[in-house]
Amino acid sequence: MSATRKRSRAAALTPTTALSAPPPPALRKFTLAGGTALPSRQIEMWTQGKFCDATITVEGRQFDAHRMALVSGSDYFHGAFTSGFAEGGTAHVSLPDLKASAFEAVLSFIYTGECEVWEEDLPTLLQCASYLQAKALLVAACDAVKVRLVPENILNYWSLADAHSMDELACVAKEEALRHFEAVVAASEAEFAALPHERLLTLLSDERLTTTKEEAVHTAVIKWSNAQQPPVDDESLLALLSTVRYRLVSRDFFEGRVLTEPRLQGGLGLKVLFGAVAGFSQAVFGGTLVGRRLGFLPQRLPLKWCPVQKGRDIELAQTDTVATATGNC
């Protein structure tokens, strides 16, 4: 074989470029709308820095604006400039707890009624809008979050909404965590481990919790418990384990995973066992059974007798109605 052919063959077997890792997902930028734009002349003066009578410092950056615009778009600035404090006289406000990029978006929304934001910056903008009490922007940001909730971010947004009293967003995030419980546990391990005990208990106790198998609830509780430092006390762990409907788990899982769990060796394990046995006994001997979780399926409204009249004076009528009640039930 000639030297030329050997070199050609070697070149063919040697990659000319190293294999590279797949590129990261493209950053997504979108527009938040829903505000009320100020007159075009005022927007033009703001962009040109003309007649600005207020300065806001955020992360060392100074932003010039008009006090009337700030007061109209933010309850925080309304209070700062009308309360008689120093900010009202000097028209200079320092916001050390906010991000400059988020405040820049807030200013844009106040003046133009909309702003552009990178998707990963949405939590920061949400906090900024909440702090500044920019109501229109807060509504727009919350609406944007609702359609972007995925298992990876549900717990973070739930925590953020709770911390800033965004009740509607907190409710939506909780419902999504209930709907996609197993996916949330798998996709956000660190966030799940960081859940406060009270919030996790609220989640597990909700009848709407949706899982493919009840075994997933026990596994999630143990996973959370193992991640706690210092370890959670027996009473708190028992409260979580008491939400697991052990009557619905398979015998193999109960004997192979529940009874052999290291944390359940001792008094805590006996209490869990007694609770499970009680559930099994109800299934055998009757009584109030613990059924499957209801999830988000349509439910019939509960029916109960009225304490007054209780059906007296009800007579059939020869009309389109089946019956007519003459009492005050």
Side-chain angles (χ1 to χ4, degrees):
M1 182 181 295
S2 66
T4 302
R5 291 184 61 186
K6 288 182 179 180
R7 285 194 298 268
S8 300
R9 184 178 180 183
L13 294 175
T14 303
T16 57
T17 57
L19 293 177
S20 58
L27 299 178
R28 288 181 288 183
K29 198 173 189 178
F30 63 97
T31 299
L32 279 181
T36 302
L38 297 180
S40 58
R41 180 65 60 85
Q42 190 168 357
I43 297 175
E44 181 181 353
M45 288 189 296
W46 168 61
T47 57
Q48 295 177 355
K50 293 181 178 180
F51 307 111
C52 293
D53 55 359
T55 303
I56 299 88
T57 301
V58 188
E59 288 191 317
R61 290 179 58 186
Q62 288 193 341
F63 297 88
D64 294 329
H66 302 92
R67 272 185 283 187
M68 287 301 297
L70 297 175
V71 167
S72 66
S74 162
D75 288 351
Y76 174 90
F77 285 117
H78 182 276
F81 292 136
T82 62
S83 62
F85 293 150
E87 290 85 349
T90 63
H92 182 272
V93 178
S94 180
L95 301 173
D97 298 325
L98 302 183
K99 295 291 185 181
S101 58
F103 183 74
E104 189 173 17
V106 171
L107 273 184
S108 176
F109 193 89
I110 289 176
Y111 275 92
T112 68
E114 62 183 32
C115 63
E116 288 189 335
V117 58
W118 294 103
E119 193 160 321
E120 64 271 22
D121 292 336
L122 189 53
T124 305
L125 179 60
L126 199 63
Q127 295 178 63
C128 188
S130 174
Y131 183 88
L132 296 176
Q133 302 171 56
K135 296 178 181 178
L137 176 56
L138 190 58
V139 170
C142 285
D143 289 343
V145 168
K146 291 175 190 176
V147 299
R148 288 171 172 81
L149 288 173
V150 293
E152 290 80 4
N153 65 24
I154 287 174
L155 296 182
N156 276 340
Y157 276 120
W158 185 11
S159 176
L160 178 63
D162 268 350
H164 293 272
S165 301
M166 305 173 195
D167 296 337
E168 184 180 352
L169 178 58
C171 181
V172 172
K174 177 186 176 182
E175 288 186 355
E176 289 301 298
L178 290 168
R179 291 179 188 273
H180 309 287
F181 177 72
E182 292 179 60
V184 167
V185 174
S188 53
E189 293 188 5
E191 292 77 9
F192 180 74
L195 273 179
H197 178 272
E198 182 179 357
R199 186 171 301 161
L200 178 57
L201 183 60
T202 299
L203 194 66
L204 300 178
S205 303
D206 199 300
E207 191 68 28
R208 297 170 297 172
L209 184 70
T210 304
T211 62
T212 55
K213 292 183 178 181
E214 190 67 18
E215 287 86 340
V217 182
H218 171 87
T219 302
V221 171
I222 297 301
K223 184 177 184 178
W224 179 88
S225 174
N226 291 339
Q228 303 309 301
Q229 292 297 333
V232 65
D233 61 89
D234 284 359
E235 183 179 353
S236 298
L237 181 54
L238 179 61
L240 298 175
L241 291 170
S242 297
T243 66
V244 184
R245 305 184 179 189
Y246 286 108
R247 188 182 70 83
L248 303 179
V249 307
S250 68
R251 178 174 178 176
D252 289 343
F253 182 89
F254 189 79
E255 293 179 349
R257 295 283 298 277
V258 179
L259 296 182
T260 60
E261 171 58 42
R263 187 65 195 274
L264 301 184
Q265 305 305 306
L268 177 59
L270 288 175
K271 291 179 181 180
V272 172
L273 179 60
F274 289 155
V277 169
F280 295 141
S281 299
Q282 288 177 338
V284 175
F285 299 106
T288 303
L289 299 180
V290 178
R292 294 190 176 278
R293 300 173 189 271
L294 297 179
F296 285 83
L297 296 176
Q299 302 298 324
R300 185 178 65 182
L301 294 176
L303 302 177
K304 61 180 180 180
W305 283 101
C306 176
V308 182
Q309 298 294 340
K310 286 196 173 180
R312 291 179 298 176
D313 301 324
I314 295 179
E315 59 184 15
L316 295 177
Q318 302 297 323
T319 62
D320 293 338
T321 58
V322 176
T324 302
T326 58
N328 295 322
C329 182

